[in-house]
Amino acid sequence: MRLEMKQHIQGSTLRVEIIGLMDYSTIDDFELGIPDNVTKIIVDLAGLDFIDSTGIGAFLSMIYDASERGSTVEFVSMNAVITELFDTIGIFRIMESLQKGGQ
C-alpha cells in the first residue's frame, strides 16, 4: 500500500486529503507545498489507514511551517485511534500553543 495526497485550494484555504499509509516506507510521497496566499490548511484524515512516528514527525513539521507562515492547521475526519494518538503525543496541545503565539 502507498500514500496518496489530494490537494485543493479554495480562496486562502488549502484542503489536503491523506489516503493510505503514512509511515517510513511512504513518507517520501508526503510533499506539501503551501502557497503564499494560504492562511488555513485543512487536513482530511478520513482515508488514513495507518500512521507511524515518521508520519507524526511530518505532520509536526507541517504544523510548525504553517505557523511560521501565519497559517493555521486543522485536522478533520479523524478516526478514534488517530485522535487518541494525536492527543497522547500532544499534537493538539502543540497546535494550540502555536496559535497562541508559542514556539
Side-chain angles (χ1 to χ4, degrees), residues 1-101:
M1 190 163 238
R2 45 178 279 131
L3 176 68
E4 182 181 347
M5 291 179 56
K6 297 180 181 178
Q7 298 183 39
H8 312 279
I9 296 178
Q10 184 174 10
S12 61
T13 300
L14 172 63
R15 184 175 185 90
V16 182
E17 295 177 55
I18 307 291
I19 303 163
L21 302 176
M22 194 167 180
D23 64 10
Y24 70 94
S25 68
T26 64
I27 200 64
D28 290 340
D29 294 328
F30 184 76
E31 295 179 22
L32 182 64
I34 304 173
D36 290 337
N37 67 327
V38 167
T39 58
K40 183 173 186 176
I41 302 167
I42 298 173
V43 183
D44 185 335
L45 299 179
L48 182 64
D49 297 318
F50 176 81
I51 187 168
D52 72 358
S53 60
T54 308
I56 295 291
F59 279 149
L60 286 171
S61 292
M62 178 193 65
I63 292 165
Y64 280 105
D65 185 38
S67 177
E68 288 177 0
R69 296 167 161 264
S71 300
T72 60
V73 176
E74 178 183 350
F75 292 99
V76 298
S77 302
M78 300 171 70
N79 66 38
V81 172
I82 294 173
T83 301
E84 183 177 343
L85 176 65
F86 277 36
D87 190 42
T88 300
I89 291 172
I91 289 179
F92 299 126
R93 289 188 303 275
I94 291 168
M95 291 170 57
E96 183 180 331
S97 174
L98 288 172
Q99 288 177 359
K100 291 180 180 177

